């Protein structure tokens, strides 16, 4: 049986844990991928949407644990990278 990951409260704790631990001994099944946005956002867009569509977007964004504006930006990026 694999060990449960400890709760780490700072980047320093996480770095020390990863540097010294054998991650093969831990249950990583609950891990989820995280996407970091490093590019600077230097342009702004105003967009009018029907209230029902915006509410659906906000609900989906909350379900996956991200701000709704990032969710919209990622949907646009996917649409441009996956042309059909």
């Amino acid at each position: 049986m694999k060990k449960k990951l400890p709760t780490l409260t700072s980047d320093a704790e996480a770095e020390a844990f990863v540097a010294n631990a054998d991650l093969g001994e831990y249950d990583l099944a609950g891990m989820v991928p995280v996407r970091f946005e490093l590019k600077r956002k230097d342009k702004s867009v105003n967009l009018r949407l029907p209230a029902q569509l915006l509410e659906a977007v906000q609900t989906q964004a909350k379900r996956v644990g991200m701000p709704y504006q990032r969710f919209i930006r990622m949907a646009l990026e996917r649409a441009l990278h996956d042309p059909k």
Side-chain angles (χ1 to χ4, degrees):
M1 176 161 244
K2 295 197 174 201
K3 298 178 189 176
K4 182 180 176 186
L5 284 171
T7 300
L8 306 169
T9 58
S10 70
D11 287 344
E13 282 184 28
E15 288 176 15
F17 173 74
V18 171
N20 298 313
D22 177 1
L23 296 180
E25 297 177 359
Y26 291 87
D27 179 12
L28 303 179
M31 302 296 284
V32 294
V34 176
R35 179 177 171 186
F36 293 98
E37 293 194 27
L38 302 176
K39 289 183 182 177
R40 186 171 173 263
K41 281 75 172 171
D42 55 355
K43 296 289 181 182
S44 176
V45 175
N46 289 330
L47 181 66
R48 293 194 174 276
L49 299 173
Q52 189 175 14
L53 177 58
L54 179 58
E55 290 168 8
V57 166
Q58 290 171 325
T59 299
Q60 277 294 104
K62 187 174 184 178
R63 188 182 64 77
V64 297
M66 72 174 59
Y68 77 93
Q69 290 178 336
R70 182 181 306 160
F71 184 86
I72 292 170
R73 190 167 46 250
M74 288 176 64
L76 290 170
E77 289 173 358
R78 272 194 306 271
L80 292 173
H81 287 58
D82 296 332
K84 293 183 179 178

